[in-house]
């Protein structure tokens, strides 16, 4: 492909995870350095725009340092006088309908953008809270990024493309931010997801779709099969999966190509993360495309090996009293070899971090005992970036007949493979499905409880579980009143059980219940925040009143002000400066 007035050049990256391990003294700046390299490639290659596939941030509420570093890098590379050579043909009020500034940033007369950045949100930086905002919305409001692919409806999704044109080449850019996999799977099955197509010359457009979901199967419905996507798509950029498969592979059934850029930072010490990290430079001319992969030079090298002790009977005998020392010496040899490989890989690349990531997985099945990982790690504190988890001991569970009365924790919670994400929601569901009858849920459903716990853990919605319990309790009480159930315990229990089973079957109604409860929880949190502000402001007024009298005291001493202590989430400010006599008195009020 030659660079001409008809060719789009697009830099593609996903899962940058800014802020991952930012407090780690060794790895804290890895994500920021690599993000700088990614945008540096965009500038040097004079791309038309950058396309990100979600999880720009690692945390839902990134720290000030992380947001500041992101803004700094975007401003450094994406603002300038170089003209943007493509135009937007679609209705931007539809593409960016949730924004207060519903137009692409480079068309804003107050901004000077040289490289537009388009991004969907991922599962790590998705919209939350009463206002459903995410970190990308801050960047979008600042005019440094174009957040698209956001769906507010949970009943029907219409994906309207951003229509781009450069010379004779036209791109329809579709995006869908992260949605819980089970919900999106069900919506695809129920034909509730529609990809809208341009009215004019629909076959002349290059259709590019960006998605952030599980691609590999993690459960019956905990992923999105590729055949769910429309066959008119030309290329799918698949975010969320961290293994780099940047070269587009064709789906034989749907005939489109799938590009999986993978993450730009190692966030789990698993085999998929050990694959070399790349970003993609996509050329599109009319209906043809070409992907050029660019290796990232600033990514910390990651080396991984597996050892099965039972495969070395000539070296290790479990009955030998000194077998543990022999295993430790063998592991040290392996780690030294991996460090040598890492040193060779660094030759000629001064941008690569000095300390590598090392992982040695040891299967000690067969009567062996693990040695002290902590003591082992002390030897590599100055040579490895992850000394505390170099060694990972694991053992294949042996199938044994067990007493029926014994509680089998192995069955209670199925352990995922290393690197696979197991959600809290799934754990809750598994627990109640396998728990004894006396600890089973009788009023709530496992699904609803799982969703509430997930919100509590991921989004810090402190009132999520309480509000769900209240909501479902109120609903059950209304149901019993309508049925005019006799005040006998057995009949009430039976009616509650029937009502619960009917709710479990109606998944859409149950989803609506969870959404209503979460809305209540967010509203409750907003009220609490307002109460804190009111308490703080009234406290400041008290403080101002007290300060006015400090200069007029006849004795030359500051006038003492009696202070109240607020009870709305936090203490009222200024308590530290009280006069000792006032502090010891009983003049405390409840705010």
């Amino acid at each position: 492909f030659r660079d001409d007035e008809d060719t789009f050049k697009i830099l593609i990256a996903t899962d940058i995870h800014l802020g991952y391990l930012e407090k780690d003294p060794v790895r804290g700046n890895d994500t920021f350095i690599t993000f700088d390299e990614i945008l540096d490639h965009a500038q040097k290659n004079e791309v038309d725009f950058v396309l990100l596939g979600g999880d720009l941030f690692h945390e839902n509420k990134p720290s000030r340092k992380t947001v500041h570093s992101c803004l700094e890098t975007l401003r450094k590379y994406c603002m300038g006088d170089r003209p943007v050579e493509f135009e937007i043909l679609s209705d931007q009020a539809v593409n960016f309908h949730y924004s207060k500034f519903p137009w692409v940033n480079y068309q804003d007369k107050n901004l000077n953008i040289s490289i537009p950045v388009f991004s969907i949100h991922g599962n790590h930086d998705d919209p939350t809270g009463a206002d459903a905002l995410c970190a990308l919305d801050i960047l979008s409001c600042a005019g440094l990024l174009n957040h698209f692919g956001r769906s507010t409806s949970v009943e029907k999704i219409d994906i309207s493309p951003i229509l781009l044109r450069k010379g004779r080449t036209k791109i329809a850019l579709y995006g869908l931010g992260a949605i819980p996999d089970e919900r999106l799977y069900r919506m695809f099955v129920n034909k509730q997801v529609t990809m809208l197509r341009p009215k004019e010359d629909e076959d002349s457009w290059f259709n590019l779709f960006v998605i952030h979901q599980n691609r590999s199967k993690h459960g019956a419905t905990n992923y999105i099969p590729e055949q769910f996507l429309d066959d008119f798509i030309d290329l799918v950029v698949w975010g969320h999966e961290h293994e780099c498969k940047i070269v587009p592979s064709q789906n034989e059934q749907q005939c489109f190509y799938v590009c999986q850029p993978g993450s730009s930072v190692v966030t789990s010490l698993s085999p998929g993360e050990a694959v070399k990290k790349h970003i993609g430079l996509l050329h599109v001319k009319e209906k043809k495309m070409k992907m050029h992969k660019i290796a990232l030079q600033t990514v910390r090298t990651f080396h991984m090996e597996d050892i099965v002790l039972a495969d070395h009977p000539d070296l290790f005998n479990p009955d030998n009293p000194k077998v543990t020392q022999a295993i430790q010496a063998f592991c040290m040899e392996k780690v030294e070899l991996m460090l040598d490989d890492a040193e060779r890989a660094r030759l000629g690349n001064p941008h690569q971090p000095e300390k590598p990531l090392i992982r040695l997985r040891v299967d000690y099945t067969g009567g062996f005992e693990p040695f002290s990982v902590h003591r082992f790690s002390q030897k590599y504190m100055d040579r490895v970036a992850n000394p505390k988890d170099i060694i990972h001991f694991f053992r294949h569970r042996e199938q044994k007949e067990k007493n029926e009365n014994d509680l089998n924790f192995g069955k209670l919670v199925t352990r995922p493979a290393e690197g696979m994400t197991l959600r809290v929601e799934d754990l809750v569901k598994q627990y109640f499905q396998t728990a004894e009858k006396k600890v089973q849920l009788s009023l709530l459903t496992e699904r609803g409880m799982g969703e509430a716990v997930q919100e509590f853990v991921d989004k810090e919605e402190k009132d999520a579980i309480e509000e769900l319990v209240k909501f479902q309790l109120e609903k059950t009480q209304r149901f019993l009143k309508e049925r005019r159930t006799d005040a006998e315990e057995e009949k009430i229990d039976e009616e509650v059980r029937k009502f619960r089973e009917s709710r479990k079957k109606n998944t859409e109604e149950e989803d609506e219940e969870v959404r209503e409860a979460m809305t209540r929880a967010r509203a409750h949190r907003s009220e609490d925040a307002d109460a804190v502000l009111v308490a703080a402001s009234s406290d400041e007024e008290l403080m101002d009143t007290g300060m006015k009298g400090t200069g007029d005291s006849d004795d030359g001493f500051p006038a003492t002000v009696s202070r109240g202590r607020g009870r709305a989430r936090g203490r009222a400010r200024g308590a530290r400066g009280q006069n000792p006599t006032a502090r010891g008195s009983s003049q405390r009020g409840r705010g």
Side-chain angles (χ1 to χ4, degrees):
F1 276 75
R2 286 186 305 172
D3 294 346
D4 55 31
E5 65 273 7
D6 298 323
T7 304
F8 270 99
K9 283 200 298 183
I10 308 164
L11 190 90
I12 292 177
T14 69
D15 297 88
I16 294 167
H17 287 273
L18 288 174
Y20 175 70
L21 290 183
E22 63 178 318
K23 293 182 180 177
D24 188 289
V26 177
R27 302 163 66 186
N29 290 320
D30 284 8
T31 56
F32 308 129
I33 293 167
T34 303
F35 186 46
D36 188 279
E37 183 192 357
I38 290 169
L39 293 186
D40 185 49
H41 282 298
Q43 191 180 70
K44 286 176 179 173
N45 286 284
E46 297 184 340
V47 300
D48 290 295
F49 64 91
V50 174
L51 182 61
L52 303 178
D55 281 355
L56 174 60
F57 294 98
H58 183 69
E59 296 288 344
N60 188 266
K61 298 171 183 173
S63 68
R64 279 175 293 188
K65 175 189 172 182
T66 300
V67 175
H68 178 268
S69 177
C70 179
L71 290 167
E72 188 178 44
T73 309
L74 286 169
R75 180 169 174 173
K76 176 181 173 183
Y77 290 104
C78 299
M79 299 187 89
D81 295 326
R82 189 171 72 88
V84 176
E85 295 176 345
F86 65 89
E87 56 183 328
I88 295 188
L89 306 179
S90 54
D91 184 356
Q92 296 184 54
V94 175
N95 300 138
F96 308 108
H97 63 90
Y98 43 81
S99 173
K100 289 282 197 285
F101 307 98
W103 52 83
V104 73
N105 63 348
Y106 77 86
Q107 290 183 350
D108 193 313
K109 61 185 179 183
N110 298 313
L111 301 170
N112 207 18
I113 302 294
S114 59
I115 303 176
V117 179
F118 292 87
S119 179
I120 61 171
H121 64 260
N123 59 307
H124 279 257
D125 51 14
D126 58 331
T128 57
D131 299 316
L133 292 171
C134 66
L136 294 187
D137 292 319
I138 296 172
L139 304 182
S140 177
C141 187
L144 293 170
L145 180 143
N146 302 292
H147 179 202
F148 76 110
R150 180 167 167 174
S151 174
T152 51
S153 173
V154 291
E155 295 166 358
K156 191 175 191 312
I157 297 175
D158 291 325
I159 307 174
S160 183
I162 302 173
L163 303 180
L164 317 171
R165 182 173 67 189
K166 184 181 180 183
R168 291 178 298 160
T169 303
K170 296 185 290 184
I171 293 179
L173 178 60
Y174 296 85
L176 183 61
I179 294 174
D181 288 293
E182 291 92 342
R183 184 191 299 167
L184 187 59
Y185 186 102
R186 191 166 62 248
M187 293 178 83
F188 270 114
V189 169
N190 295 334
K191 310 291 184 189
Q192 294 171 320
V193 181
T194 308
M195 298 184 74
L196 307 175
R197 301 193 67 182
K199 290 180 181 177
E200 298 176 7
D201 303 324
E202 64 177 32
D203 294 327
S204 66
W205 295 82
F206 182 87
N207 299 293
L208 176 58
F209 181 38
V210 194
I211 187 172
H212 190 99
Q213 305 290 152
N214 278 333
R215 186 182 178 194
S216 53
K217 192 171 182 179
H218 292 267
T221 60
N222 197 9
Y223 76 115
I224 303 300
E226 290 178 14
Q227 59 265 28
F228 279 6
L229 308 183
D230 288 286
D231 56 5
F232 70 81
I233 297 170
D234 296 296
L235 177 65
V236 179
V237 175
W238 207 298
H240 186 61
E241 299 287 353
H242 280 208
E243 184 177 353
C244 182
K245 298 178 180 177
I246 194 84
V247 177
S249 59
Q250 188 172 26
N251 181 297
E252 301 292 338
Q253 188 176 342
Q254 301 293 84
C255 295
F256 53 62
Y257 285 85
V258 180
C259 164
Q260 182 179 303
S263 67
S264 61
V265 63
V266 176
T267 60
S268 65
L269 302 175
S270 58
E273 296 270 26
V275 179
K276 184 149 181 71
K277 306 289 187 185
H278 293 82
I279 53 173
L281 183 60
L282 176 67
H283 292 79
V284 178
K285 186 171 183 179
E286 296 179 13
K287 291 285 284 183
K288 295 178 181 177
M289 70 167 183
K290 181 183 178 182
M291 179 73 78
H292 171 63
K293 65 179 185 178
I294 301 172
L296 291 170
Q297 302 299 318
T298 57
V299 176
R300 194 175 294 276
T301 55
F302 173 35
H303 297 265
M304 182 173 188
E305 275 196 40
D306 290 349
I307 298 174
V308 181
L309 298 180
D311 290 350
H312 302 277
D314 52 328
L315 296 176
F316 311 119
N317 179 4
D319 298 326
N320 185 339
K322 294 187 177 181
V323 67
T324 306
Q325 290 92 318
I327 294 169
Q328 186 168 339
F330 185 75
C331 289
M332 286 181 70
E333 282 182 36
K334 284 285 184 185
V335 171
E336 289 295 338
L337 288 171
M338 284 195 278
L339 283 169
D340 290 342
D341 290 341
E343 191 60 38
R344 279 193 292 272
R346 274 193 71 241
L347 291 173
N349 182 7
H351 301 294
Q352 204 166 69
E354 185 180 348
K355 295 180 182 178
L357 293 166
I358 300 291
R359 183 68 144 183
L360 186 62
R361 301 195 301 185
V362 182
D363 182 351
Y364 67 107
T365 310
F368 298 99
E369 290 295 327
F371 53 79
S372 170
V373 175
H374 180 70
R375 200 175 303 131
F376 184 90
S377 67
Q378 293 294 319
K379 300 178 177 67
Y380 299 98
M381 292 296 288
D382 299 325
R383 301 175 63 193
V384 176
N386 61 316
K388 292 181 182 176
D389 47 16
I390 294 177
I391 300 284
H392 172 63
F393 282 105
F394 69 99
R395 183 166 55 187
H396 290 296
R397 283 203 304 272
E398 298 169 17
Q399 300 297 323
K400 293 181 181 178
E401 292 295 323
K402 291 202 172 184
N403 190 335
E404 289 182 6
N405 297 324
D406 290 342
L407 184 59
N408 188 338
F409 286 101
K411 289 182 180 177
L412 193 66
V413 178
T414 51
R415 295 179 187 174
E418 191 181 4
M420 185 187 293
T421 305
L422 184 63
R423 302 176 313 148
V424 176
E425 188 180 339
D426 299 330
L427 284 170
V428 172
K429 193 173 180 182
Q430 286 176 21
Y431 173 79
F432 285 115
Q433 284 175 346
T434 56
E436 298 174 21
K437 191 173 181 181
K438 64 183 178 183
V439 294
Q440 286 281 5
L441 292 170
S442 57
L443 179 63
L444 307 179
T445 60
E446 294 90 357
R447 181 186 175 82
M449 179 58 83
E451 289 264 4
V453 175
Q454 188 83 25
E455 287 280 326
F456 176 80
V457 173
D458 285 355
K459 312 291 169 55
E460 297 179 14
E461 291 293 354
K462 292 187 267 298
D463 301 312
I465 299 170
E466 183 184 351
E467 289 296 335
L468 181 75
V469 172
K470 280 184 188 174
F471 186 82
Q472 293 191 341
L473 182 62
E474 288 168 10
K475 196 162 184 180
T476 308
Q477 287 170 339
R478 284 199 300 273
F479 171 78
L480 292 174
K481 284 178 184 175
E482 288 167 7
R483 295 291 293 263
R484 295 180 180 172
T485 310
D486 294 335
E488 293 180 20
E489 193 172 335
E490 289 182 7
K491 288 186 178 180
I492 291 173
D493 288 346
E494 181 63 23
E495 288 292 343
V496 169
R497 189 187 62 77
K498 286 180 183 175
F499 181 54
R500 182 173 177 273
E501 291 301 319
S502 69
R503 285 199 349 266
K504 281 176 75 174
K505 289 174 186 174
N506 191 344
T507 54
E508 288 185 10
E509 186 181 340
E510 191 172 8
D511 282 348
E512 187 60 42
E513 282 185 15
V514 175
R515 283 196 299 275
E516 176 64 28
M518 294 312 106
T519 305
R520 283 189 183 189
R522 287 165 191 152
H524 192 192
R525 190 181 64 187
S526 298
E527 288 169 11
D528 285 348
D530 291 343
V532 172
L533 288 173
V534 169
S537 61
S538 63
D539 205 45
E540 282 171 6
E541 286 172 17
L542 279 170
M543 194 164 133
D544 291 341
T545 309
M547 290 300 286
K548 284 174 188 174
T550 55
D552 300 323
S553 178
D554 295 333
D555 299 326
F557 293 100
T560 304
V561 183
S562 298
R563 301 297 310 271
R565 181 173 292 179
R567 289 292 294 274
R569 290 277 167 158
R571 292 183 177 178
R573 288 181 289 175
R576 193 178 289 176
Q578 290 177 9
N579 186 291
T581 55
R583 185 182 295 179
S585 70
S586 60
Q587 296 183 21
R588 290 186 181 182
R590 292 171 69 88

